[in-house]
Amino acid sequence: MAKKVGAILLDTRSIQKYVFSCNKLKTNVGASYLVDGIFNDLMQNIILPKYNLKMPDISWKKSDGIQMIKDNTIKAEIVYIGGGNMLILINKFLKEEDNLKLCRDIVSSWSLEILKKAPGLKTGAAIGMMDVSEDAFKDSLDDMYVQLKQNQNTVLPQVDLPYTGLTLECDISGKTADTFDWVDKKWIAKEVKAKTEAYKYASEKVRYEYGDILNNEYDFASELEKIGCKEGESYISVIHIDGNNMGVKFSKCKDSQERKKLSLTVVKIVQNAFRELIQSIIDEYDSKAYDEALDKRDLIDDKGKKLLPIRPIIIGGDDITFVCPARVGIEYAKRFIEAVNKQDFLNDEQYKRMSKEIKEEKKDNESMKISKTMSCCGGVAIVPLKYPFFRAYQLAEHLCGSAKTKSRQDDSSLIDFAILYGEMTPSLEQLCRYQYVAPEGYLHYGPYYIKKNSDEDIADKSSIKDLLSLKDKLKARVASNKIKELRDVLTRDLHAQIRFLENCESVRDIIKEESNTKDIEAKAFWQKKDKEVKTRYVDAIEIIDFTLPNKED
């Protein structure tokens, strides 16, 4: 039997721009904390209780279905929170228009509080009637998402005071400086003040979540300059990691209960993986490799705690962003993705059902495949310390997108990276065009596989393991001046590469091993990949200075 109730579907917009709008680590972390709190803390704990609506006694995380269907006395219910969305059901009145009006009032109150507590943050909402009966729930929710998307394209919320040119400009955000900072004795934007003040709570939260492994001995840095960059090597890695085909998988959920459980599973997998990453960093903190690669003098705070060479910024859902010294960025991204891939995301029944549905939807022969694990892809932007943080994040996001494009058909986990030298601010497309195009082919070989979701071997050596192995061989067996010369000749014609090989026996030996052949030609530098001719050697050369020393060194 159909049961229609009022529904509110909430989302957050332009989260990345809000979080990474300036280069101050405290404001980035504080902004992420504010975004995390608008559903759980603000809507659930402050706004909904104001309306005195009876809600289920059990938390939405522990309920076994929509309680409103079983109990008519329940007037408001949170169905799930996850993936940047929150779904709330309202059933106080008999008339639809009265329930819809109450939904609008709740969204209005929530939006007003956000303007006060998280100024500058853009949110969205869809309001309508939903059929929550078991057979109709999925289609009814899909209609709500369609409406939410339409609202995103037509409703442009104004969340900032306009900067007229006659008002003081905030030197951190560039927005109107409309509040006074008593600590630094200057005028700043309210948005910056809110983010900075939230940093304290964000730090307490992350210490609490990982307190059992930090053991009051380790902590996270509050400034980018304090994460351990070696003196004279002022580069950082901004890492963005995102789950593969998550929208497709969630769209195949048969009911609200399955969607909710998957949302909670994502959170658990990500937290476990990041916990494993932190533990691995602590385990090797006093190793020789870290002594060589990081400035350990910076990794001590004023209380004597050891600062970890990593700072989480967004750790929630399948969207992860953290920052670390350039030398450990690729390694940390690799470890995190490997830890995520260890854990099952779908059970056997879900995997078979969703795979079957996806295959039936595809009319061509290249049906999308999904994995049981929560596969994901990562982008690592290696940039100067003073590089605009939002642009660095955008580059990492685009690199992640490049890897996800490669993963889309078989749900494999890949990583891509780029290194920016100097203060140029190109897009990924411009970077590829200006920095990686050579007469004989393309100088960047990525993205690289972390884990391939199929039985076939990676015959073209496009795994990150193969790249790191090639890097170690070049570093250990080829003189530094010859490595630089090789980097240069690969940007020139084949004749220059032939002449180089004639005079460099160590590189000839490496090519023999890599290509498994006795006949050495300059063409062996190049391989056919993704319908293009590319070389792995430039990538291997460039990451020599941006990876940890080999443990055997």
Side-chain angles (χ1 to χ4, degrees):
M1 184 176 72
K3 182 178 177 64
K4 284 199 169 185
V5 299
I8 302 170
L9 182 61
L10 303 173
D11 82 331
T12 48
R13 304 183 190 179
S14 305
I15 295 176
Q16 289 76 19
K17 190 171 184 178
Y18 183 74
V19 172
F20 301 108
S21 58
C22 67
N23 271 34
K24 292 181 77 69
L25 187 58
K26 284 186 176 181
T27 60
N28 300 145
V29 175
S32 178
Y33 176 81
L34 291 175
V35 172
D36 283 344
I38 64 171
F39 293 147
N40 285 300
D41 297 332
L42 187 55
M43 178 59 88
Q44 181 174 339
N45 299 331
I46 297 176
I47 300 301
L48 286 177
K50 286 169 55 176
Y51 287 85
N52 296 317
L53 301 169
K54 183 180 177 181
M55 299 183 67
D57 295 329
I58 189 171
S59 164
W60 66 271
K61 295 180 180 181
K62 298 179 179 179
S63 67
D64 59 357
I66 298 176
Q67 303 300 304
M68 193 176 282
I69 298 175
K70 309 170 187 177
D71 186 351
N72 286 327
T73 66
I74 293 176
K75 304 303 179 186
E77 181 174 357
I78 297 171
V79 180
Y80 69 85
I81 300 173
N85 297 124
M86 180 180 194
L87 179 63
I88 305 167
L89 302 180
I90 302 294
N91 191 33
K92 182 177 181 181
F93 303 102
L94 293 175
K95 293 183 178 181
E96 288 188 6
E97 55 266 31
D98 292 332
N99 280 321
L100 292 175
K101 182 179 183 303
L102 179 56
C103 289
R104 285 191 287 269
D105 289 342
I106 291 171
V107 172
S108 178
S109 298
W110 178 69
S111 301
L112 181 60
E113 286 301 313
I114 289 175
L115 286 172
K116 298 176 184 177
K117 298 181 182 297
L121 178 60
K122 294 181 179 181
T123 57
I127 295 169
M129 299 299 294
M130 272 191 67
D131 187 339
V132 294
S133 58
E134 185 175 344
D135 295 337
F137 177 84
K138 185 177 182 297
D139 290 338
S140 192
L141 180 60
D142 288 343
D143 291 340
M144 290 290 290
Y145 272 103
V146 170
Q147 183 189 336
L148 184 66
K149 188 67 177 177
Q150 290 173 343
N151 290 348
Q152 288 176 343
N153 295 330
T154 57
V155 179
L156 305 175
Q158 175 61 43
V159 294
D160 296 306
L161 286 174
Y163 180 68
T164 65
L166 299 175
T167 50
L168 188 65
E169 180 182 288
C170 173
D171 62 3
I172 298 174
S173 68
K175 297 181 179 180
T176 302
D178 51 3
T179 189
F180 192 71
D181 179 2
W182 290 98
V183 176
D184 293 333
K185 307 296 183 191
K186 64 179 182 179
W187 288 88
I188 58 174
K190 284 183 179 176
E191 177 183 325
V192 172
K193 185 176 182 181
K195 293 176 180 178
T196 305
E197 290 176 346
Y199 172 78
K200 174 185 175 183
Y201 303 102
S203 296
E204 290 174 354
K205 180 182 177 184
V206 76
R207 288 191 198 104
Y208 174 78
E209 289 175 348
Y210 303 104
D212 57 322
I213 54 178
L214 296 176
N215 287 325
N216 208 34
E217 182 181 359
Y218 298 92
D219 204 348
F220 298 101
S222 60
E223 300 174 19
L224 288 175
E225 292 79 1
K226 292 289 186 180
I227 60 172
C229 294
K230 199 86 169 176
E231 187 174 352
E233 299 179 6
S234 54
Y235 280 78
I236 59 171
S237 289
V238 179
I239 294 102
H240 175 70
I241 297 170
D242 197 14
N244 293 339
N245 300 319
M246 299 302 285
V248 174
K249 295 166 188 174
F250 273 94
S251 71
K252 302 305 175 189
C253 291
K254 57 188 176 184
D255 54 31
S256 63
Q257 186 69 6
E258 186 172 44
R259 178 181 282 267
K260 178 184 67 178
K261 286 183 177 180
L262 278 186
S263 294
L264 295 174
T265 300
V266 169
V267 173
K268 183 178 179 181
I269 288 173
V270 168
Q271 288 179 342
N272 288 343
F274 195 71
R275 174 178 291 272
E276 186 174 325
L277 173 59
I278 293 175
Q279 187 63 62
S280 72
I281 295 171
I282 291 174
D283 290 344
E284 63 191 9
Y285 191 89
D286 295 319
S287 69
K288 180 182 177 182
Y290 271 36
D291 289 338
E292 293 179 11
L294 306 174
D295 191 340
K296 300 290 280 292
R297 293 172 300 176
D298 278 346
L299 295 176
I300 299 290
D301 70 5
D302 54 7
K303 296 180 181 178
K305 289 185 179 181
K306 299 176 181 178
L307 298 177
L308 297 176
I310 186 172
R311 176 71 229 197
I313 298 177
I314 299 176
I315 304 293
D318 66 314
D319 188 355
I320 301 97
T321 303
F322 56 89
V323 61
C324 58
R327 277 181 175 260
V328 293
I330 293 173
E331 177 63 25
Y332 286 0
K334 172 177 168 288
R335 287 185 199 176
F336 181 87
I337 293 174
E338 287 173 340
V340 167
N341 273 277
K342 291 178 185 177
Q343 306 168 73
D344 277 350
F345 177 53
L346 303 174
N347 60 36
D348 290 337
E349 185 277 327
Q350 290 170 328
Y351 175 68
K352 291 177 182 177
R353 169 169 49 86
M354 292 184 183
S355 296
K356 182 181 178 182
E357 290 181 13
I358 291 171
K359 186 175 182 179
E360 289 173 349
E361 286 178 359
K362 288 282 185 177
K363 296 180 180 179
D364 53 35
N365 293 324
E366 296 183 5
S367 297
M368 178 191 294
K369 297 177 183 178
I370 58 173
S371 63
K372 283 185 67 178
T373 63
M374 198 189 94
S375 64
C376 54
C377 290
V380 182
I382 300 174
V383 300
L385 181 64
K386 300 298 183 181
Y387 192 79
F389 207 98
F390 182 59
R391 288 186 180 274
Y393 170 80
Q394 283 184 314
L395 177 58
E397 188 178 40
H398 292 157
L399 289 163
C400 181
S402 166
K404 285 170 75 70
T405 298
K406 177 76 173 176
S407 77
R408 198 148 284 140
Q409 288 302 317
D410 63 359
D411 215 11
S412 294
S413 295
L414 298 100
I415 188 175
D416 206 356
F417 64 88
I419 304 168
L420 288 188
Y421 300 97
E423 296 298 324
M424 61 180 179
T425 58
S427 65
L428 179 59
E429 183 183 351
Q430 292 170 326
L431 179 68
C432 294
R433 188 164 64 246
Y434 298 145
Q435 195 163 305
Y436 294 124
V437 174
E440 299 303 319
Y442 199 59
L443 300 175
H444 178 57
Y445 203 71
Y448 293 90
Y449 284 99
I450 302 292
K451 180 183 177 184
K452 191 171 179 63
N453 183 35
S454 65
D455 296 330
E456 60 186 88
D457 294 329
I458 305 174
D460 60 359
K461 290 188 176 292
S462 58
S463 75
I464 194 68
K465 181 180 178 181
D466 288 326
L467 178 68
L468 293 173
S469 173
L470 177 58
K471 179 266 300 185
D472 289 337
K473 290 176 183 177
L474 289 169
K475 184 179 179 182
R477 294 155 57 178
V478 182
S480 297
N481 65 318
K482 287 295 182 181
I483 291 176
K484 290 180 181 178
E485 186 180 347
L486 174 58
R487 173 68 173 85
D488 177 60
V489 299
L490 288 171
T491 66
R492 293 151 60 188
D493 59 24
L494 198 62
H495 177 70
Q497 295 159 31
I498 293 171
R499 294 290 299 273
F500 173 82
L501 280 178
E502 290 173 352
N503 297 289
C504 191
E505 184 178 357
S506 57
V507 173
R508 290 204 306 272
D509 290 341
I510 291 173
I511 290 180
K512 287 179 184 178
E513 293 177 18
E514 291 293 308
S515 58
N516 195 27
T517 180
K518 294 181 180 179
D519 299 323
I520 300 304
E521 296 181 349
K523 289 181 180 179
F525 283 125
W526 306 89
Q527 292 174 267
K528 192 75 175 288
K529 183 193 177 191
D530 300 331
K531 300 179 181 180
E532 290 186 89
V533 177
K534 300 183 177 183
T535 181
R536 296 185 302 130
Y537 284 79
V538 171
D539 285 346
I541 291 168
E542 290 198 328
I543 65 172
I544 286 176
D545 294 328
F546 294 106
T547 49
L548 285 171
N550 192 322
K551 292 180 180 179
E552 297 178 358
D553 288 350

